[in-house]
Amino acid sequence: MNERKNNNKKNYLIFAVICMVLLLLFNSFVVPAVKKAQIKETNYSFFLSQLDSGNVTKVEIKEDSIVFEAVNSNGRKKAYSTVRVEDPDLVKRLYENGNVDFTGKIETQNPIASFIVSWVLPLVFMIVLWNILMRGMGKRMGNSMAFGKSNAKIYVKAQTGKTFGDVAGQDEAKEALVEIVDFLHNPQKYADIGADLPKGALLVGPPGTGKTLLAQAVAGEANVPFFSISGSEFVEMFVGMGAAKVRDLFKQANEKAPCIVFIDEIDTIGKKRDGQNGGNDEREQTLNQLLTEMDGFDGKKGVVILAATNRPESLDPALLRPGRFDRRIPAELPDLAGREAVLKVHAKKIKTDPDIDYNAIARATAGASGAELANIINEAALRAVRNGRQTVSQSDLEESVEVVIAGYQRKNAVISQQEKELIAYHEIGHALVAAKQKDSAPVHKITIIPRTSGALGYTMQVDEVEKFLLTKEEALSRIAVLTGGRSAEELIFNSCTTGASNDIEKATKLARAMVTRYGMSSSFDMIALEAVNNQYLGGDTSLICSPETAARIDAEVNGIVRDAHERARQILSENIGKLHELAHYLLEKETITGEEFMSILNAEN
Ligand code: ADP
Ligand code: ZN
């Protein structure tokens, strides 16, 4: 910023000098030339002859020239000038020639007017011209005019207004960040003892777990400015621009210290420099600049860099070494207590009925991120408004959980009775298999109202307590539940439909993971056959084994699913009476709760 001011000063100085030179030239060449053009040069004898013939009306005697006005043949006055010749009789002559108005005064113009005309006006003209030129150039050349500089004013957001109170759960992350807050409050305390606080911390976790929120809360708690930029903003068209942006950002941050600099999605610039893909000069330069800046700035001043990423494994090791982003702060998906806390924090912003069971909602949303939970609360509030109510009820929340999981209800979707029946049997098939196995989570809700996500119905299972581990038995019974829908179709209609595609996908994925990652198959021991690539982004995997082994894996996976399918069919045919009864009940009600389901299932008849 300082440099920019200095640059501006320099520019103005140069501009002023140019103006002065131009003005001098103007006054010594242009003005006299213009004046000369109006006054005709003539010789002294012409002057004398005009004087004698009485045509001259006015004479000005200057030091080395005589300017005079004479009436020419057609009665018009014209100005002439002639070189002044030593002529002692001149005055006498002029005097005798009674009607000549003669003077020795040199200036003919008003001095102020002449000053304005020859100095001020040209100056104004030049300034206007300069401005127009600069503006035009700036527009046309856009950013590339500012090469080596960046338009970086956007970063700073003075105060975030967020505190740790706004972040629910994430206790480990908050604990790790409290020290940074203290450091920002009182850098001197740390400087006195000679301690170097971490310059940077890396917030790692899946999307929507509150990494940005945590960074804002640190700034809010410490009451310092918050600079925020996304990694992708550094990636520019021209090599060197990103690096310039980094420089600029750090310069601004240094001026505003103590402060927080938050770089979101740092993996876009911080990827490993592997030299593959032909290299990416721009990105590497930007990364190098970032590394340099992090080393260069004074850690005691109180600039703390927080960065967020959901693919930490792809970061360049240089970024992670001590003195850079050496602290790694996890922001994981919230557990049951965490989800309940997030729901409560966001529910504070809306009006709710007095006795809302947040725990129930939290149990139904295993695997949801903080952002999704915030969205559930908002959806519930929207639903309450749609239904013309003043407060949000439990049913609003429950419905909005389903909206977030499966999309909105498609109330006007026309589904034939025959298809509806099939869907009902399919869903009850899932539910029955779940209920009849001891390792399955209890059924919470069954519905055959279609959703905008494409689901024609679904069975919701909710664990009583949060599970962190999955046993082999649980995994197998989960696969059996997934095959339960198709099993019911086969058993009752003796056919199969496309409705099971999602079940098949999930069952395969789980069975595959059992074989390749969890060591739960009969033919392989504890061998990793697949590597997870993006832990936080869907967790896609890639095989790390020979083609022969891959073929054996496929056979093994197929075996697991087949066994589960067989078991599901068996459970359903043993309970075929209940299957019919429940399916017809669901067909009639469209949505039934877990309790209704269990009471019909357990009723003796
Ligand atoms: P990330 O940066 O990890 O992708 P954000 O910080 O942008 O996620 O979170 C998005 C939104 O989700 C936040 O603005 C907030 O409303 C909500 N949110 C996420 N995690 C939490 C949490 N732990 N507590 C409260 N709200 C949260
Ligand atoms: Zn299904």
Side-chain angles (χ1 to χ4, degrees):
M1 222 182 223
N2 255 341
E3 193 174 87
R4 201 175 297 172
K5 263 186 208 153
N6 284 343
N7 268 346
N8 275 347
K9 262 186 210 160
K10 224 188 274 169
N11 279 347
Y12 279 121
L13 210 71
I14 293 172
F15 175 63
V17 170
I18 292 175
C19 279
M20 289 312 283
V21 172
L22 283 178
L23 275 178
L24 278 174
L25 290 175
F26 182 75
N27 275 308
S28 48
F29 292 104
V30 183
V31 173
V34 170
K35 278 189 182 159
K36 255 184 214 145
Q38 290 166 347
I39 299 171
K40 200 174 176 219
E41 219 38 81
T42 183
N43 52 26
Y44 198 70
S45 58
F46 177 75
F47 169 57
L48 288 185
S49 69
Q50 287 294 309
L51 192 62
D52 287 343
S53 51
N55 289 339
V56 175
T57 54
K58 208 170 171 185
V59 176
E60 267 175 35
I61 302 163
K62 298 190 178 179
E63 221 171 309
D64 46 9
S65 72
I66 295 171
V67 177
F68 64 96
E69 213 174 66
V71 184
N72 58 16
S73 49
N74 41 28
R76 248 192 243 133
K77 284 181 184 172
K78 199 166 172 14
Y80 297 93
S81 101
T82 178
V83 178
R84 182 174 166 186
V85 177
E86 245 339 285
D87 184 354
D89 293 338
L90 179 63
V91 175
K92 204 173 141 212
R93 249 184 209 219
L94 285 168
Y95 192 69
E96 277 168 2
N97 218 317
N99 51 357
V100 178
D101 179 5
F102 74 93
T103 166
K105 206 173 132 206
I106 298 169
E107 298 297 329
T108 53
Q109 275 170 317
N110 177 348
I112 295 176
S114 111
F115 175 75
I116 287 176
V117 168
S118 54
W119 292 94
V120 180
L121 277 184
L123 197 66
V124 169
F125 175 71
M126 274 187 249
I127 290 174
V128 169
L129 198 70
W130 170 270
N131 276 335
I132 291 172
L133 265 180
M134 283 331 257
R135 208 171 303 154
M137 209 132 87
K139 247 186 224 150
R140 224 171 317 122
M141 307 187 115
N143 279 343
S144 52
M145 256 300 274
F147 215 79
K149 256 191 257 159
S150 72
N151 27 5
K153 355 174 180 45
I154 33 149
Y155 307 139
V156 71
K157 183 172 169 192
Q159 243 67 49
T160 62
K162 296 268 193 279
T163 64
F164 283 146
D166 294 310
V167 190
Q170 306 295 7
D171 292 330
E172 301 77 21
K174 281 195 244 177
E175 210 166 283
L177 290 167
V178 161
E179 197 179 354
I180 291 179
V181 172
D182 187 52
F183 169 62
L184 289 169
H185 267 309
N186 194 353
Q188 198 51 44
K189 187 166 87 186
Y190 292 82
D192 283 348
I193 204 168
D196 276 336
L197 232 90
K199 289 176 177 176
L202 193 63
L203 293 153
V204 178
T209 46
K211 296 182 291 296
T212 311
L213 191 63
L214 276 165
Q216 288 175 336
V218 172
E221 290 278 338
N223 206 11
V224 297
F226 182 72
F227 289 81
S228 161
I229 189 164
S230 168
S232 57
E233 282 174 58
F234 289 118
V235 182
E236 293 275 351
M237 184 108 98
F238 303 107
V239 174
M241 292 277 285
K245 264 194 174 168
V246 172
R247 258 195 312 276
D248 219 65
L249 174 67
F250 275 82
K251 202 177 296 150
Q252 289 192 33
N254 254 321
E255 282 163 18
K256 288 255 160 63
C259 66
I260 296 277
V261 175
F262 178 63
I263 306 175
D264 206 356
E265 314 284 350
I266 193 165
D267 43 279
T268 46
I269 47 168
K271 264 195 220 118
K272 281 195 189 91
R273 292 164 292 184
D274 50 10
Q276 281 171 7
N277 305 328
N280 180 336
D281 276 350
E282 162 61 359
R283 222 198 52 222
E284 284 190 9
Q285 273 202 20
T286 310
L287 176 57
N288 287 339
Q289 188 65 42
L290 181 65
L291 297 177
T292 318
E293 292 288 347
M294 285 202 75
D295 289 342
F297 77 83
D298 181 3
K300 295 193 172 58
K301 248 177 117 177
V303 179
V304 174
I305 316 213
L306 297 176
T309 179
N310 28 40
R311 25 173 71 226
E313 67 284 343
S314 74
L315 288 182
D316 196 290
L319 263 179
L320 304 174
R321 78 140 172 75
R324 290 170 184 158
F325 293 106
D326 50 353
R327 286 217 175 170
R328 191 176 165 130
I329 298 171
E332 295 291 344
L333 287 174
D335 56 8
L336 181 59
R339 288 198 299 276
E340 197 174 335
V342 174
L343 286 169
K344 283 181 176 161
V345 161
H346 286 277
K348 272 190 209 138
K349 297 173 203 156
I350 60 168
K351 293 204 185 90
T352 61
D353 286 352
D355 46 341
I356 296 281
D357 184 359
Y358 292 106
N359 185 270
I361 308 297
R363 275 194 288 127
T365 47
S369 69
E372 281 165 330
L373 294 168
N375 190 21
I376 284 174
I377 295 285
N378 194 49
E379 279 292 338
L382 291 176
R383 183 170 185 263
V385 173
R386 259 199 305 274
N387 296 350
R389 272 179 283 112
Q390 309 290 320
T391 55
V392 171
S393 68
Q394 185 81 22
S395 69
D396 288 330
L397 285 166
E398 275 172 8
E399 172 59 27
S400 79
V401 169
E402 288 173 52
V403 167
V404 172
I405 292 173
Y408 289 97
Q409 292 186 352
R410 277 166 55 199
K411 287 223 178 75
N412 47 3
V414 182
I415 293 174
S416 71
Q417 191 59 28
Q418 198 188 345
E419 282 198 328
K420 256 195 177 158
E421 205 176 322
L422 192 131
I423 297 164
Y425 273 99
H426 178 108
E427 294 308 328
I428 295 296
H430 285 306
L432 254 183
V433 175
K436 288 292 173 186
Q437 294 183 110
K438 64 175 177 2
D439 293 309
S440 284
V443 174
H444 180 72
K445 186 175 181 177
I446 311 165
T447 171
I448 53 167
I449 298 172
R451 297 273 167 175
T452 48
S453 67
L456 295 169
Y458 58 85
T459 303
M460 231 169 123
Q461 287 174 270
V462 175
D463 271 309
E464 226 105 78
V465 286
E466 180 120 285
K467 288 256 174 66
F468 296 97
L469 291 173
L470 187 71
T471 65
K472 184 175 176 182
E473 288 68 37
E474 283 163 349
L476 288 174
S477 68
R478 198 178 284 182
I479 295 171
V481 170
L482 286 166
T483 59
R486 165 63 65 85
S487 303
E489 291 176 29
E490 289 167 341
L491 213 62
I492 306 298
F493 301 94
N494 202 16
S495 73
C496 45
T497 68
T498 53
S501 64
N502 188 250
D503 300 333
I504 291 171
E505 197 182 315
K506 283 190 196 153
T508 311
K509 204 169 171 190
L510 181 53
R512 213 181 164 75
M514 284 174 72
V515 177
T516 60
R517 286 163 52 209
Y518 305 148
M520 289 179 181
S521 67
S522 46
S523 59
F524 297 104
D525 203 33
M526 288 175 59
I527 291 184
L529 300 166
E530 264 180 354
V532 180
N533 298 332
N534 283 318
Q535 190 191 347
Y536 295 121
L537 298 173
D540 50 328
T541 54
S542 48
L543 275 178
I544 38 171
C545 60
S546 67
E548 291 77 32
T549 313
R552 275 173 64 204
I553 293 172
D554 293 337
E556 189 86 10
V557 170
N558 193 24
I560 291 177
V561 176
R562 181 178 312 206
D563 288 350
H565 192 170
E566 192 48 53
R567 196 163 66 249
R569 253 197 307 248
Q570 199 185 328
I571 291 172
L572 291 181
S573 51
E574 280 166 12
N575 295 282
I576 197 152
K578 290 289 176 196
L579 177 60
H580 282 303
E581 192 184 347
L582 283 160
H584 284 108
Y585 185 75
L586 177 62
L587 204 52
E588 186 191 325
K589 298 269 176 181
E590 293 206 325
T591 299
I592 60 175
T593 63
E595 287 92 62
E596 284 175 278
F597 172 80
M598 288 314 287
S599 72
I600 293 175
L601 184 60
N602 294 333
E604 295 291 335
N605 50 6

